[in-house]
Amino acid sequence: MSVAGSLDPWLLERLVCPLTRTPLRHDQAAQELISDAAGLAYPIRDGVPVMLVEAARPLGGKAL
């Protein structure tokens, strides 16, 4: 992890959505990992991705 708080590219390449097993994209401004397939945003807290569906925020109007 860099000083700027961005995720290590190596780690980001390996993380997938726990619900859909699809790749995630990093929203650095919001400090979230976005699963477009599931319509969820997983938070990054203190530099650590929280990869729990229960902790994810629904995107748009999608419900869990």
Side-chain angles (χ1 to χ4, degrees):
M1 178 146 357
S2 73
V3 177
S6 64
L7 286 179
D8 181 340
W10 181 90
L11 178 62
L12 187 56
E13 286 178 11
R14 284 150 181 81
L15 287 174
V16 294
C17 174
L19 189 62
T20 63
R21 300 287 186 218
T22 56
L24 300 165
R25 64 182 167 87
H26 183 206
D27 182 343
Q28 190 168 353
Q31 285 298 291
E32 295 177 323
L33 293 173
I34 308 297
S35 171
D36 292 311
L40 297 172
Y42 296 93
I44 300 172
R45 297 185 184 137
D46 298 322
V48 178
V50 180
M51 303 304 299
L52 300 170
V53 174
E54 298 81 17
R57 174 181 66 80
L59 297 175
K62 291 188 177 183
L64 292 178

